[in-house]
Amino acid sequence: MSFIPQTRPHTFHIPVMGTGFSIDTPLKVAKYGISSVISLVDDVLIEQMRKFHCDRLSLEFSAIPDNDEDARAKRITAYLELMNEVIRDEVTALQSSPFEPGSNITRYYEMLPDSPLKDFYLDMIKESDYEKREEMQTKLRNQALPGSIDVNIMTKLDRDIYKNGDKLPIEYSDAMAALRGYAKSKLESSIIFSAGFNQRLYGYLSKFEDFFSDAKGIIRKKIVLKVSDFRSAMIQGKYLAKRGLWVSEYRVESGLNCGGHAFATEGFLMGPILEEFKRKKEEFINYLHEIYNKALSNINRIPVQVPHEVRITVQGGIGTADENRFLMEHYGVDGTGWGTPFLLVPEVTNVDNVHLEKLSKATDKDVFLSERSPLGIPFWNLRNTASERIHSQRINSNKPGSPCPKGFLVSNSEFTNVPICHASRVYQKRKLKQIDISDSLPEHIKDLKNNVTAKSCICHDLAGGATKKHNIDENAQTAVCCGPNIINFSKITSLEEMVSHIYGRISILSESNRPHMFIKELSLYVERLKEEIHKVSEGLLDKTAKNFQDFKNNLLSAIEYYQNLAEQFSIEQKEKFLSDLDALFEEIENILPVSGQLIPIKVIS
């Protein structure tokens, strides 16, 4: 058969997970053509990991101390350059390895999904003519391309930096320095912006040439936006297009059925959101292309006749090959993201042995949507971690709060001139004292205090998976931000097994009665609606009856959409899917307006 080159060997990527879990995942999977994402939040961890890998590979390491000029950006650049060089050498070695069982190049091609490239490999295996076989192998060696070393900046984590009490220029803020560190690297990959719109950060992109299209129409560093819905994609994509910057991918993530921070919508669900992207994609691209070209002309750059590629990908709660296939075939998405299940693949992610065991045994009682994040955003958490244990001990010993060793999540200046973290000991001590002398109702004081002490030091503890596993910090108190999907996986798994599960060659699910990802997301939103009503009744949340009615209507609209969508499923899938929808519909209907408020019929636990 003819040889068909392929630029993206795999149809899935591994998203960013915490700060430490995927901090060096590219070093483990890129040589096999798998793209993955690292977090740029924690430059302290990044420097530690650079030293760890330099020592492991017997490479020279020159430390970049905290007090170095632009230390954060320099550390990020140095680490990305290290990964780039190591992966380049590994790919060269892989391309030279023999096509025999167990070799890296054989492993590369055996893991590929069904595709023209995989078919060509299988034809090579069957080819009996020596010269033809050698010719085919040469082509395959050249086509064994690495996955992308992508980076993530959580736009909300943009701490201003102070020196001797004075605020430094905005270019030294955490997000701006992280962007600069990536921009100065030699990587040709993507930067993923998550957690919302940061105008000063987006404006800073235009300072670096690599984010613009060159004379050949190539963008060396592509912009990817993690979005919750089509409207968010439109607003952010338009903002960047007006500055001559093209968004190459919109990464749609479930608001609740995900890991880490949960940026929940007001009841807008994954299926209807993807339907809107599918329906409007072509119009969307053409609209942005017109704005983009006008902007290029205004800044004396050459407009492009044909729009650059725009990929729509999806992640959050995908658990089976059928779900993966349906997303790609029905909605036409260009790829999927698989995160939480990879926490059980030790050769891919960093989880120390103690917590690996806990993850493998996790049940729905062990994974909860917590108030641990100092950002005030719901945060998925594993209940029985070292971080949770020390958090409880501090509260029980009347010393709540963390010493705040890193401070990446500082945002509060209620008691101080320089912002501090809601999880810090300094903040919690002062806030609790303020509550004690306030005129709050006695029945609300306990909840108000619990809301303060619930915040935990996640920016340090999420590094624990890596620092504990690699003996960088023996005292690390690991936190684990797995998504609810972890309860469906219990086997500690190899890379080959997980990839084969994604592509439907095997199944490693531990829970055969697992609900469909759309059903799971819907059920999580039903629980959120009830929880928010409870918080309003306790004076912990300010929302109106109309807010809740709109939320409820959005869920009911999604159910109607899913009832029609079920016609696309197999008979067996359809029956269970519709049954689960009926149960959730009844539960939502039981949340009725009473005396101007929405209250659930069932008692909220």
Side-chain angles (χ1 to χ4, degrees):
M1 65 176 290
S2 61
F3 178 71
I4 302 176
Q6 190 163 315
T7 56
R8 289 190 179 88
H10 288 276
T11 60
F12 77 93
H13 62 267
I14 302 175
V16 65
M17 286 182 273
T19 54
F21 302 118
S22 62
I23 190 65
D24 57 356
T25 294
L27 289 173
K28 302 166 182 177
V29 302
K31 61 178 172 285
Y32 299 117
I34 300 170
S35 296
S36 59
V37 188
I38 72 167
S39 169
L40 298 186
V41 168
D42 190 345
D43 64 285
V44 176
L45 172 65
I46 284 171
E47 182 73 346
Q48 290 171 329
M49 293 304 293
R50 185 168 70 91
K51 182 180 187 306
F52 169 77
H53 285 293
C54 283
D55 291 346
R56 177 179 67 85
L57 298 166
S58 300
L59 299 173
E60 182 181 352
F61 173 79
S62 180
I64 301 171
D66 293 341
N67 59 1
D68 234 32
E69 180 73 19
D70 209 16
R72 178 173 170 82
K74 287 179 179 177
R75 286 173 169 179
I76 289 168
T77 303
Y79 185 56
L80 296 178
E81 294 283 73
L82 171 67
M83 285 203 292
N84 196 34
E85 291 173 12
V86 171
I87 291 167
R88 181 194 60 200
D89 292 344
E90 287 182 337
V91 171
T92 299
L94 179 146
Q95 290 172 333
S96 302
S97 62
F99 280 93
E100 59 185 28
S103 73
N104 272 335
I105 197 163
T106 296
R107 196 180 186 200
Y108 183 105
Y109 280 103
E110 289 291 336
M111 281 194 283
L112 291 184
D114 292 340
S115 63
L117 184 59
K118 181 67 171 284
D119 290 341
F120 189 82
Y121 164 75
L122 295 175
D123 284 347
M124 182 277 293
I125 296 294
K126 293 182 287 186
E127 180 58 59
S128 57
D129 183 277
Y130 176 79
E131 289 187 0
K132 286 184 180 179
R133 185 181 174 97
E134 287 291 302
E135 181 183 347
M136 294 174 77
Q137 288 186 357
T138 299
K139 290 181 178 179
L140 287 167
R141 292 184 195 285
N142 293 333
Q143 195 60 23
L145 304 176
S148 184
I149 309 169
D150 296 332
V151 302
N152 178 261
I153 291 180
M154 191 174 176
T155 59
K156 288 184 181 295
L157 302 186
D158 196 11
R159 169 184 60 166
D160 289 317
I161 303 300
Y162 291 77
K163 189 173 183 179
N164 300 323
D166 297 323
K167 186 162 72 170
L168 296 180
I170 60 171
E171 289 81 5
Y172 289 93
S173 75
D174 275 354
M176 305 276 265
L179 173 58
R180 183 166 58 255
Y182 171 68
K184 289 188 173 183
S185 75
K186 296 185 182 71
L187 287 186
E188 294 187 25
S189 63
S190 297
I191 184 166
I192 295 94
F193 294 111
S194 62
F197 197 165
N198 182 330
Q199 288 194 26
R200 74 178 187 182
L201 182 63
Y202 287 3
Y204 195 45
L205 285 163
S206 62
K207 301 290 185 183
F208 304 99
E209 188 64 27
D210 278 4
F211 294 111
F212 290 98
S213 170
D214 66 16
K216 296 180 179 179
I218 296 171
I219 303 173
R220 288 170 52 84
K221 289 181 169 63
K222 296 181 179 179
I223 299 169
V224 176
L225 300 181
K226 190 185 290 187
V227 295
S228 57
D229 56 29
F230 183 82
R231 180 176 177 272
S232 175
M234 176 65 83
I235 291 170
Q236 296 184 73
K238 182 178 178 181
Y239 182 89
L240 289 163
K242 283 183 174 181
R243 286 149 183 81
L245 296 164
W246 188 256
V247 177
S248 297
E249 181 182 332
Y250 295 88
R251 194 161 281 188
V252 184
E253 182 172 63
S254 170
L256 280 180
N257 199 12
C258 58
H261 286 95
F263 294 91
T265 66
E266 293 302 303
F268 297 105
L269 303 187
M270 180 68 77
I273 289 168
L274 291 176
E275 190 70 45
E276 187 172 13
F277 272 97
K278 176 184 177 180
R279 190 173 69 252
K280 297 179 178 178
K281 180 179 178 181
E282 185 175 350
E283 177 187 353
F284 175 55
I285 293 172
N286 291 333
Y287 173 73
L288 292 181
H289 181 235
E290 185 177 343
I291 296 171
Y292 174 70
N293 269 347
K294 184 177 179 180
L296 290 178
S297 295
N298 290 340
I299 57 177
N300 298 316
R301 290 179 178 270
I302 301 173
V304 295
Q305 290 186 345
V306 178
H308 299 295
E309 179 188 40
V310 174
R311 303 182 78 234
I312 307 297
T313 61
V314 59
Q315 60 193 47
I318 309 169
T320 69
D322 280 343
E323 290 174 353
N324 193 77
R325 189 180 305 110
F326 185 81
L327 291 168
M328 298 195 69
E329 293 179 357
H330 180 76
Y331 295 108
V333 300
D334 300 288
T336 58
W338 287 67
T340 289
F342 273 102
L343 290 173
L344 289 173
V345 187
E347 63 185 294
V348 172
T349 55
N350 294 308
V351 183
D352 61 82
N353 290 335
V354 170
H355 291 89
L356 190 63
E357 184 72 12
K358 292 178 185 294
L359 277 170
S360 69
K361 295 179 179 178
T363 68
D364 57 355
K365 294 180 181 179
D366 299 316
V367 183
F368 69 114
L369 194 58
S370 74
E371 301 293 333
R372 293 294 180 261
S373 173
L375 299 178
I377 299 164
F379 183 77
W380 283 105
N381 215 12
L382 186 65
R383 196 178 296 279
N384 53 351
T385 62
S387 177
E388 282 293 289
R389 185 180 66 250
I390 195 70
H391 178 254
S392 296
Q393 288 175 357
R394 286 169 176 163
I395 294 172
N396 293 336
S397 62
N398 203 29
K399 294 180 181 179
S402 162
C404 200
K406 292 180 177 175
F408 294 118
L409 274 64
V410 299
S411 62
N412 184 277
S413 53
E414 186 178 355
F415 304 110
T416 56
N417 292 326
V418 176
I420 57 177
C421 181
H422 284 104
S424 69
R425 191 166 294 160
V426 172
Y427 172 80
Q428 293 193 6
K429 181 178 179 181
R430 296 186 185 188
K431 191 64 179 178
L432 291 171
K433 185 176 180 180
Q434 184 189 72
I435 293 171
D436 281 333
I437 61 175
S438 72
D439 57 0
S440 300
L441 295 174
E443 60 267 30
H444 289 167
I445 285 180
K446 182 178 179 181
D447 282 337
L448 289 171
K449 286 187 171 184
N450 287 342
N451 194 47
V452 172
T453 59
K455 305 298 182 284
S456 184
C457 182
I458 60 172
C459 77
H460 179 256
D461 291 359
L462 284 175
T467 57
K468 188 79 171 179
K469 179 177 180 177
H470 299 306
N471 298 315
I472 294 169
D473 179 4
E474 294 183 358
N475 297 317
Q477 305 295 336
T478 304
V480 182
C481 57
C482 54
N485 201 18
I486 193 66
I487 68 172
N488 302 297
F489 297 86
S490 62
K491 180 183 176 184
I492 297 172
T493 303
S494 71
L495 174 60
E496 278 91 347
E497 288 174 313
M498 186 58 71
V499 171
S500 290
H501 174 79
I502 292 169
Y503 293 139
R505 297 190 280 256
I506 64 171
S507 174
I508 57 173
L509 279 183
S510 59
E511 179 52 68
S512 59
N513 199 35
R514 169 188 176 277
H516 190 280
M517 61 177 289
F518 289 163
I519 295 293
K520 180 64 177 179
E521 183 190 46
L522 175 58
S523 69
L524 290 169
Y525 270 99
V526 172
E527 290 304 311
R528 179 172 177 82
L529 175 58
K530 293 192 292 184
E531 179 63 26
E532 287 196 349
I533 293 169
H534 174 65
K535 286 183 177 180
V536 167
S537 70
E538 294 297 314
L540 298 173
L541 186 66
D542 183 20
K543 283 197 173 183
T544 67
K546 184 181 183 306
N547 294 143
F548 291 131
Q549 189 64 58
D550 289 344
F551 196 133
K552 176 180 174 181
N553 289 341
N554 291 335
L555 295 183
L556 293 174
S557 177
I559 286 178
E560 183 179 1
Y561 169 83
Y562 284 139
Q563 287 171 334
N564 293 323
L565 186 71
E567 297 300 322
Q568 306 292 324
F569 296 168
S570 67
I571 294 175
E572 184 179 349
Q573 284 180 317
K574 177 181 176 180
E575 184 178 342
K576 184 177 188 308
F577 190 82
L578 289 175
S579 174
D580 289 341
L581 277 180
D582 288 344
L584 288 167
F585 175 81
E586 183 178 348
E587 191 169 354
I588 295 168
E589 282 290 283
N590 283 335
I591 303 175
L592 300 172
V594 177
S595 302
Q597 280 191 318
L598 285 171
I599 62 171
I601 295 297
K602 298 178 181 178
V603 176
I604 301 172
S605 58

